[in-house]
Amino acid sequence: VKVMLRVCSVPVSDLSRSYSYKLDLQKKQITVLNVPTFNPQRQTAGTTVSSKTFTFDAAFGPDSTQ
């Protein structure tokens, strides 16, 4: 089984969400940052941002065509 990743651009209708990732096409990896959304009732100082890296057999960026 081979796993392929294709990253699409963010839809204009969904710009209010936080999308944060780093795509390395050379290493065929994507690092996804878990950025917490702003919630004034749960505001804390020093909020941490976690990340997770995934490796694929092939990775295609937002500029790739079908």
Side-chain angles (χ1 to χ4, degrees):
V1 173
K2 290 194 176 207
V3 179
M4 312 292 185
L5 170 71
R6 179 166 184 230
V7 177
C8 298
S9 58
V10 177
V12 175
S13 62
D14 212 8
L15 289 176
S16 62
R17 297 187 67 187
S18 291
Y19 293 93
S20 198
Y21 64 89
K22 178 183 169 192
L23 180 62
D24 188 337
L25 294 175
Q26 299 288 332
K27 293 181 180 178
K28 301 175 188 168
Q29 292 181 334
I30 188 168
T31 301
V32 181
L33 298 176
N34 184 12
V35 180
T37 55
F38 179 71
N39 184 347
Q41 291 154 355
R42 292 187 63 192
Q43 187 175 5
T44 59
T47 302
T48 59
V49 176
S50 62
S51 66
K52 204 136 189 127
T53 300
F54 302 93
T55 304
F56 299 89
D57 294 305
F60 304 95
D63 297 330
S64 297
T65 61
Q66 295 283 17

